[in-house]
């Protein structure tokens, strides 16, 4: 039962922290959302404070997201098509990070360890799935000249597109994700 209660607290906290931030979420709200009696002290039987809870929530969520399978999208065999398929997967991946990204917005600099864990996960995922290899295999001259900068431009474009869809509820300029990723891929690789 203790593990179950601990999990309920973490699940409730993830949603509340994403919605209100850590400081904007009283322990009593976490207890109530987890199905515990607010103000009973039940929270403190599992976590010493909200910062310890935040660390546990982040670790649990990063572990969950890191294990998600990649959609084996079909491509036409070109590098641009392969990169576009990977970028589509990355947009879905950003969707899975939605609540952690929201927490980062709320915490702005107050949780550098959370920011570093999320950033590291994004970098690891890109390297593990071969983005670097796709970019460096017959790249356009701009990519060849500075692959790190090209990767950064790609990541910022992806995050910007994702956040734009999140905030406005619709793709920017009505450019759907498939069209966006295909165009970004064609900008970065030949063939």
């Amino acid at each position: 039962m203790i593990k179950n209660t601990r999990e309920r607290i973490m699940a409730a906290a993830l949603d509340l922290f994403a919605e209100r931030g850590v400081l904007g979420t009283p322990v009593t709200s976490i207890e109530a959302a987890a199905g515990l009696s607010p103000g009973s002290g039940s929270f403190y039987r599992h976590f010493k404070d909200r910062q310890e809870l935040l660390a546990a929530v982040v670790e649990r969520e990063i572990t969950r997201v890191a294990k998600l399978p990649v959609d084996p999208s079909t491509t036409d065999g070109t590098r641009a098509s392969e990169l576009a398929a990977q970028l589509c997967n990355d947009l879905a991946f950003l969707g899975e990070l939605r609540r952690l990204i929201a927490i980062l917005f709320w915490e702005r600099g107050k949780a550098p360890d959370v920011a570093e864990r999320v950033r590291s996960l994004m970098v690891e995922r890109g390297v593990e799935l071969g983005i670097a290899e796709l970019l460096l295999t017959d790249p356009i001259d701009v990519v060849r000249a500075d692959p790190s900068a090209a990767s950064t431009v790609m990541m910022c474009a992806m995050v910007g597109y994702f956040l734009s869809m999140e905030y406005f509820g619709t793709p920017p300029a009505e450019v759907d994700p498939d069209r966006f990723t295909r165009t970004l891929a064609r900008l970065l690789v030949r063939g």
Side-chain angles (χ1 to χ4, degrees):
M1 183 70 169
I2 289 175
K3 183 176 180 185
N4 187 14
T5 301
R6 184 176 169 88
E7 288 295 319
R8 286 195 337 252
I9 290 171
M10 286 193 294
L14 177 61
D15 289 337
L16 291 169
F17 289 168
E19 181 182 315
R20 306 176 186 172
V22 175
L23 293 178
T25 305
V27 168
T28 53
S29 293
I30 298 168
E31 289 173 326
L36 305 172
S37 178
S40 66
S42 299
F43 171 90
Y44 296 104
R45 287 195 264 296
H46 304 280
F47 298 96
K48 97 178 161 178
D49 57 25
R50 287 178 295 181
Q51 291 306 313
E52 181 182 71
L53 173 58
L54 175 61
V57 163
V58 168
E59 196 55 42
R60 183 187 75 152
E61 192 65 1
I62 283 177
T63 299
R64 180 190 72 79
V65 171
K67 291 178 182 177
L68 291 173
V70 175
D71 177 20
S73 301
T74 58
T75 69
D76 62 13
T78 64
R79 283 177 207 80
S81 176
E82 290 173 19
L83 180 57
Q86 179 56 52
L87 294 174
C88 279
N89 277 313
D90 288 348
L91 280 176
F93 178 71
L94 286 171
E96 291 293 331
L97 289 175
R98 178 179 287 114
R99 292 179 293 182
L100 288 179
I101 291 169
I103 291 169
L104 289 176
F105 278 119
W106 278 105
E107 299 308 306
R108 285 187 197 87
K110 292 179 263 181
D113 51 329
V114 174
E116 178 55 28
R117 292 286 288 132
V118 172
R119 187 197 67 77
S120 293
L121 179 62
M122 290 171 69
V123 169
E124 288 169 18
R125 178 179 163 87
V127 171
E128 285 176 4
L129 296 176
I131 289 283
E133 291 82 13
L134 285 169
L135 283 178
L136 292 174
T137 305
D138 195 24
I140 61 173
D141 291 338
V142 173
V143 173
R144 185 179 295 112
D146 194 344
S148 294
S151 294
T152 300
V153 167
M154 182 184 63
M155 182 187 74
C156 290
M158 293 290 292
V159 170
Y161 181 83
F162 171 79
L163 291 176
S164 190
M165 287 195 329
E166 285 293 302
Y167 282 110
F168 301 116
T170 183
E174 299 182 19
V175 175
D176 65 70
D178 185 54
R179 189 171 150 209
F180 170 78
T181 55
R182 281 186 285 119
T183 301
L184 181 57
R186 284 194 309 265
L187 289 171
L188 292 168
V189 297
R190 288 187 282 225

